[in-house]
Amino acid sequence: MKRNFHKILAGLMAALLLLAVTPFSAMAYGNTTATISFNKNLFTLEPKTALDGLSFVFTLTPGTASHIDSSYVGTTSPSISPNTVTLSDWDTLATELQGGVGYTQSGSFTVPFTSIGLYTYTLKETSSSNIVDYPLNQAEYEVTIQVVNTVVDGVVTGIEIGSIAYKQLKDDEGSDISATSNKETDTPNFPRTQTPVDLVITKTVAGNMGDVTKEFLFSITLPQTAEVKTYTMKTDSSVISSLATATTGNPTSIVTKDSGTVTVDFKLKHGETMTIEDLPVGMVVNVTETAGGYTATIEHNDVVQAEDGTDYTIVSGTNTIDYTNTNTQVNTGINTDILPFALMFLIAAAGVVMLINEKRRGIN
């Protein structure tokens, strides 16, 4: 009897010991949820109201799964529904960019798990409501979630999120980041600066006394910027008058300052244009011209301006400042092209009259 009792007791102790050391990997004991967070940052010189209605969509796609217990069968991480998040409400950032501010919005996905394992997902931006001003950020992140057993006093009581790691696989423009330099990050970030635009300044000379070969002096002033920035300037002389030669010596760039404005001068003839490339939307520039006795008419984006030397705000899309300089002489009935010859004729005629008079006096 005692011998049987000892055998039973030894069996029970062995079973308890086995339960104590078994990791319960074959059990789906409880559940847990992982929160995958990310940020969307926008940079623009426009006011916050310009962002009303602007939205971006982000997608989380299941990847591979490994070290999975028998309660979860397969090699793909669990899918979630919905697997998209839309961001559309923007908060102000302290970050400055070229004198403007940044705006941000945070988003997150929640992914439920019922089994221990190592799960991967791909996080990326998939849609923009204004693809022209704010193209998609092409960054791509791999999210790795480790789900482990919860152990209390040596006993498995459930499961929990062991860790969440983010690794950047593609940069903001969609270029692959080499495996040796993949960026580990605390929170994925999808920044985007509003698409820059060009400013085109045109020159037209009009009027019957307008000189199409004359150079007109212009000045452009850019504001102080948070970071020194170089903007390309290009003169186009492809449609000037056949009587004129192309303007030379114009600057090819303008460099901003982080302490004060900057002004550069350039010249244009009839038919020429000056383009300042890739200015940020919202930047305020000043353009003036020395009209040189001509009457100037100025249009900004087809709207006539009251005076020269006006501040212009760069807007999304087309930005043009058109200068038309007019010099018109009132018609007096005399063709100015033959005036010198007419004067010569009158002088000659007066001389003949005087000569005839002298001869008459001599005869008398």
Side-chain angles (χ1 to χ4, degrees), residues 155-347:
V155 178
V156 176
T157 60
I159 61 174
E160 62 185 60
I161 303 300
S163 64
I164 302 177
Y166 303 100
K167 180 186 293 185
Q168 188 171 359
L169 304 180
K170 294 184 178 182
D171 63 20
D172 294 339
E173 305 308 321
S175 298
D176 291 331
I177 298 175
S178 65
T180 57
S181 60
N182 288 153
K183 298 179 181 179
E184 299 285 349
T185 182
D186 292 333
T187 304
N189 185 32
F190 297 85
R192 180 56 77 196
T193 300
Q194 188 170 8
T195 302
V197 294
D198 296 344
L199 170 63
V200 180
I201 301 168
T202 71
K203 160 56 59 187
T204 301
V205 174
N208 60 356
M209 291 297 290
D211 182 358
V212 296
T213 67
K214 178 181 174 59
E215 291 181 338
F216 292 84
L217 179 65
F218 289 82
S219 297
I220 182 169
T221 301
L222 299 189
Q224 172 181 323
T225 56
E227 298 178 355
V228 174
K229 175 73 175 178
T230 300
Y231 296 101
T232 298
M233 299 177 67
K234 290 183 178 180
T235 305
D236 185 353
S237 305
S238 60
V239 293
I240 62 173
S241 169
S242 58
L243 301 176
T245 57
T247 299
T248 59
N250 274 342
T252 57
S253 66
I254 179 171
V255 182
T256 63
K257 300 177 181 179
D258 56 10
S259 58
T261 61
V262 60
T263 300
V264 298
D265 296 335
F266 60 93
K267 296 177 181 179
L268 294 178
K269 296 177 182 177
H270 171 73
E272 291 184 320
T273 65
M274 171 61 76
T275 300
I276 300 91
E277 297 182 340
D278 294 335
L279 294 175
V281 173
M283 174 179 273
V284 177
V285 304
N286 184 280
V287 179
T288 60
E289 181 205 32
T290 302
Y294 285 64
T295 301
T297 302
I298 308 159
E299 295 185 8
H300 175 226
N301 292 345
D302 298 326
V303 178
V304 176
Q305 305 299 297
E307 58 183 357
D308 191 19
T310 302
D311 288 340
Y312 303 101
T313 300
I314 302 300
V315 299
S316 173
T318 301
N319 288 266
T320 58
I321 304 176
D322 302 316
Y323 279 82
T324 300
N325 289 42
T326 304
N327 190 357
T328 302
Q329 178 175 308
V330 177
N331 186 2
T332 61
I334 299 177
N335 189 330
T336 56
D337 291 336
I338 65 171
L339 180 60
F341 300 101
L343 291 175
M344 292 174 63
F345 176 78
L346 291 175
I347 293 173

Side-chain angles (χ1 to χ4, degrees), residues 13 29 41-42 45 58 68 147 170 224 231 299 309 343 349:
M13 291 180 65
Y29 198 95
N41 292 342
L42 303 177
L45 299 185
F58 296 82
I68 302 172
V147 183
K170 294 184 178 182
Q224 172 181 323
Y231 296 101
E299 295 185 8
L343 291 175

Side-chain angles (χ1 to χ4, degrees), residues 127-178:
S127 178
S128 166
S129 64
N130 186 345
I131 202 73
V132 175
D133 283 347
Y134 294 96
L136 289 180
N137 182 294
Q138 302 292 326
E140 188 172 300
Y141 291 85
E142 179 185 73
V143 185
T144 302
I145 304 169
Q146 184 181 33
V147 183
V148 299
N149 285 322
T150 301
V151 180
V152 179
D153 297 330
V155 178
V156 176
T157 60
I159 61 174
E160 62 185 60
I161 303 300
S163 64
I164 302 177
Y166 303 100
K167 180 186 293 185
Q168 188 171 359
L169 304 180
K170 294 184 178 182
D171 63 20
D172 294 339
E173 305 308 321
S175 298
D176 291 331
I177 298 175
S178 65

